[in-house]
Amino acid sequence: MKLSDEQKTVINAPLQAMAVTACAGSGKTATAIRRLIAIRQKLGDQRGRVLLLSFSNVAVNTFNDGYAQLASGLPDDANRKRVEVDTLDGFFTQHVLRPHAYRTMGAKQAAYLVFGSEPFLNGFQYWKGEKERPIPIKDLQVSLENGKLVFSSNSYGKVEQLDEVKAERLIEKLGRSGAYTHDLGRYWVCRTLLEQPVILRALATRYPHVLVDESQDLGTMHQAILELLISAGVQVSLIGDVNQGIYAFAGADGTFLQAFADRQGVKDYNLTRNYRSLPPIIDIANRLCGRNDEPDRQPAQGGAFFVGYDDAELPQLINSFKAYLCELGMKHEDAVVLSRGSDRAAKLAGKSAAPGRGTVAMFAEASLARDQNGRYQEAFRLVCQAVVGLIDDAPYGLSAALQGSPHDVLLLRLRRMLWAFTRSEEMGLPLSSLQAKSKWHPKLLANLRTLLANIEKEFGLKTVSTFGQRMAKKSLEDVALTGAEAAEQNGPGIRVETVHQVKGESIGSVLYVATKSNVSAMLKGTGTEEGRIGYVALTRAKNLFWLAVPKGSLDAMRESLAKAGFTELPTE
């Protein structure tokens, strides 16, 4: 990439806190990595480390690969090693939660993560009243509003605020066992840093400079943690795009990044050159968000179009999209079909829900995750939970420990065994294309018995006496796990995802199958989360973007779509 003047200004800026507002496709990754190196070089022989935080392991891997390439020409000294890249949750789990939070939690053991399926969590539920269903603690959420903690739940499809005293008492009760959920982990990080200020001072000394990528996605608890670091003297810089804030349900709507630029001592920068998309796509993006970003690329084949569809014609719509790609010489492998919700995405992909019950359903879901989506990490998580559930009196937190980064030799050995089971179609998790009742289930049982026997032999962990009941083949039919129809069709032959799943990606061609409300919100701009979701879908595309609009809404929306810059495709 040939760096723009704006990127060079950010990279070479003095040591200072900064707020970098970057448009989609502006080379944020390249800029952040070079800024990381520049800060470390400006620090000279000072011992502090420079830290870059993001939200996903994929982003972290990208940053690490980029840093390894760029830093290869630097002197191989201590300064080159004083740079770290991690996810926000991963970093604070490693440096605060696991080693120190147990003291604040009042626990007798190191803190460990739970996912909600652990049997002992039945004793940790929020009771609203005698005649109402209890709320599982995995559904409890903590946020900050006007400096005050707010406790809420997202259970049974309904978000509601909870009694502060009752909710905090339940969280503290769970904390005394050493356990925390994903949401509650950030709560305990905040409390640990507040109640153990020596930990906060140590972090500030070791990491005096912190860069946060995709900072429009910072929720209120992440914001509170960063505020504590800033108060301890850490120089924090934020990089992001307020128009891509699509996690408002977690308090992440981009306003923190927007307001950060106005703080005293914070320098505001902008990246306005889009290296990703063709000019017609950027023109529409500018109209939607009110920016004036410039394309780096010259006009070429592709563009932004809208087309009508009926639900019954969705397979034909995807086939038309694929045929259009072939006409333009574009690859199916560099294309994606997007939807707003996961249910619609599953339908578009021809996926079926995992059959079976209980533990069997977990193994079935793991097979589908691995075979249909290539999501090995998700498959491994499900295998961990299912196998640990088949161990008699399994140690608290065993599943979470296996999914983390264990240092214990025994845990590492067990983790390797479960990964081998997850990956192997012959000796472990059977293929999801097998007949569920007559082939997949018997093979799973045989492989599981071998695995559990080895676990008992090597680690002394016995199998539950109810193994047969838990592994019963109820609800399994003699068709492939993927379902008869899906097995015959083998999906649409193109990747299908939700908009949230592809955030941060650059994709050659995008088909966004939208509803009337999705399109309406998109055309109104990025002032709402729904509008920003449409903006994110559009700006993933490098060369081609199709917006699929329900045919019943076409007449009412045609003029607005054309005014936004879309070109209509004829329907057959």
Side-chain angles (χ1 to χ4, degrees):
M1 175 186 290
K2 183 180 178 182
L3 297 175
S4 68
D5 290 340
E6 291 175 332
Q7 287 175 301
K8 293 175 184 176
T9 301
V10 171
I11 293 163
N12 299 316
L15 290 177
Q16 60 187 17
M18 57 172 64
V20 182
T21 300
C23 71
S26 60
K28 293 196 302 295
T29 300
T31 306
I33 294 170
R34 287 169 172 81
R35 177 59 179 168
L36 197 67
I37 294 172
I39 292 175
R40 185 54 262 175
Q41 289 176 328
K42 290 176 187 295
L43 287 172
D45 292 331
Q46 295 181 45
R47 293 182 61 81
R49 294 174 175 243
V50 186
L51 176 65
L52 174 59
L53 298 174
S54 193
F55 283 86
S56 70
N57 289 318
V58 173
V60 167
N61 292 337
T62 301
F63 279 121
N64 277 323
D65 291 344
Y67 178 75
Q69 290 177 14
L70 289 171
S72 61
L74 300 177
D76 189 15
D77 56 13
N79 286 337
R80 182 171 162 184
K81 299 178 177 65
R82 288 174 183 159
V83 169
E84 292 185 24
V85 182
D86 206 343
T87 63
L88 278 103
D89 287 336
F91 177 81
F92 290 111
T93 297
Q94 179 185 351
H95 292 278
V96 181
L97 264 177
R98 285 185 184 152
H100 304 295
Y102 75 95
R103 290 188 287 270
T104 296
M105 298 164 88
K108 295 181 179 179
Q109 64 183 88
Y112 61 92
L113 176 67
V114 292
F115 292 89
S117 59
E118 292 80 356
F120 82 96
L121 290 181
N122 290 332
F124 296 89
Q125 302 185 80
Y126 181 95
W127 292 86
K128 296 184 292 181
E130 292 182 6
K131 296 183 178 179
E132 296 189 69
R133 286 191 297 179
I135 298 172
I137 195 163
K138 70 177 179 63
D139 294 331
L140 263 64
Q141 301 172 337
V142 186
S143 59
L144 272 174
E145 292 182 15
N146 300 318
K148 182 182 177 183
L149 286 174
V150 174
F151 299 86
S152 60
S153 76
N154 188 2
S155 190
Y156 310 119
K158 177 181 166 188
V159 178
E160 58 182 316
Q161 195 163 322
L162 306 177
D163 179 85
E164 178 184 341
V165 175
K166 283 176 63 177
E168 194 155 25
R169 190 181 298 146
L170 178 61
I171 292 169
E172 290 182 347
K173 178 186 173 186
L174 180 67
R176 286 192 290 275
S177 74
Y180 65 91
T181 65
H182 277 294
D183 273 300
L184 301 183
R186 296 164 201 136
Y187 165 84
W188 284 116
V189 169
C190 279
R191 280 200 45 181
T192 301
L193 294 178
L194 282 168
E195 297 176 20
Q196 300 183 53
V198 66
I199 308 302
L200 179 59
R201 289 197 299 270
L203 275 181
T205 301
R206 187 174 177 84
Y207 300 97
H209 295 271
V210 176
L211 285 75
V212 184
D213 183 47
E214 300 288 356
S215 55
Q216 74 278 352
D217 295 334
L218 288 166
T220 57
M221 296 308 292
H222 279 141
Q223 294 169 26
I225 294 168
L226 290 178
E227 293 284 16
L228 288 170
L229 292 177
I230 292 169
S231 70
V234 176
Q235 196 175 85
V236 172
S237 294
L238 305 182
I239 304 175
D241 179 4
V242 295
N243 295 304
Q244 294 188 58
I246 58 173
Y247 296 98
F249 59 86
D253 56 6
T255 54
F256 185 68
L257 170 61
Q258 215 162 16
F260 194 73
D262 297 327
R263 291 193 184 191
Q264 186 175 0
V266 176
K267 181 70 174 175
D268 185 20
Y269 294 91
N270 276 284
L271 298 179
T272 61
R273 179 170 291 275
N274 188 313
Y275 293 90
R276 176 186 298 154
S277 303
L278 289 176
I281 297 171
I282 297 173
D283 288 343
I284 296 173
N286 283 336
R287 291 188 184 99
L288 296 182
C289 69
R291 289 174 61 95
N292 192 29
D293 300 317
E294 297 179 354
D296 185 71
R297 298 177 59 191
Q298 297 300 311
Q301 280 193 126
F305 305 89
F306 70 94
V307 61
Y309 78 94
D310 286 327
D311 278 351
E313 300 170 347
L314 283 172
Q316 293 94 312
L317 171 70
I318 295 175
N319 285 334
S320 297
F321 180 62
K322 289 162 63 178
Y324 195 88
L325 295 180
C326 291
E327 285 179 27
L328 298 182
M330 297 178 179
K331 296 180 179 179
H332 292 180
E333 294 81 6
D334 192 21
V336 69
V337 177
L338 297 180
S339 75
R340 168 68 175 86
S342 55
D343 289 344
R344 170 63 70 89
K347 180 180 178 182
L348 290 169
K351 297 175 186 174
S352 55
R357 295 183 186 176
T359 306
V360 174
M362 292 176 72
F363 282 117
E365 191 176 346
S367 285
L368 292 169
R370 182 194 65 191
D371 299 342
Q372 285 190 331
N373 310 321
R375 291 179 180 156
Y376 280 79
Q377 194 67 45
E378 175 68 7
F380 176 68
R381 181 183 72 80
L382 290 161
V383 166
C384 281
Q385 288 181 274
V387 171
V388 170
L390 294 172
I391 293 174
D392 190 29
D393 197 23
Y396 278 171
L398 177 58
S399 175
L402 290 167
Q403 293 168 59
S405 301
H407 300 292
D408 181 85
V409 175
L410 290 177
L411 278 178
L412 281 170
R413 278 168 50 198
L414 180 54
R415 177 184 166 89
R416 291 190 190 105
M417 287 176 67
L418 295 185
W419 261 116
F421 184 88
T422 303
R423 291 192 180 102
S424 176
E425 300 160 0
E426 288 301 319
M427 307 303 294
L429 199 60
L431 274 172
S432 59
S433 58
L434 295 176
Q435 302 295 95
K437 193 172 183 179
S438 62
K439 293 184 179 179
W440 180 86
H441 184 263
K443 191 168 188 175
L444 174 67
L445 282 183
N447 293 347
L448 260 179
R449 287 194 173 101
T450 301
L451 173 70
L452 290 167
N454 289 333
I455 288 174
E456 182 173 353
K457 180 181 178 181
E458 289 200 35
F459 308 102
L461 298 172
K462 296 185 177 181
T463 306
V464 291
S465 59
T466 55
F467 175 84
Q469 295 173 339
R470 295 194 188 189
M471 292 302 299
K473 51 188 174 185
K474 295 176 182 176
S475 300
L476 289 180
E477 298 179 5
D478 229 358
V479 295
L481 284 180
T482 50
E485 183 180 351
E488 290 173 9
Q489 294 180 357
N490 197 27
I494 195 168
R495 184 162 67 115
V496 180
E497 306 282 7
T498 65
V499 177
H500 284 82
Q501 288 170 326
V502 299
K503 188 172 175 293
E505 289 191 40
S506 292
I507 305 165
S509 307
V510 173
L511 165 59
Y512 180 31
V513 182
T515 64
K516 178 183 178 181
S517 63
N518 297 156
V519 179
S520 178
M522 182 181 186
L523 293 174
K524 289 177 182 176
T526 56
T528 65
E529 183 175 44
E530 197 67 38
R532 292 191 292 272
I533 287 170
Y535 175 86
V536 169
L538 170 71
T539 55
R540 297 314 88 204
K542 292 187 287 188
N543 305 313
L544 178 67
F545 181 80
W546 272 25
L547 176 64
V549 182
K551 282 184 177 177
S553 307
L554 261 182
D555 288 341
M557 292 183 164
R558 184 174 278 109
E559 185 179 346
S560 297
L561 287 163
K563 192 177 291 186
F566 289 99
T567 301
E568 184 170 9
L569 284 170
T571 53
E572 296 179 2

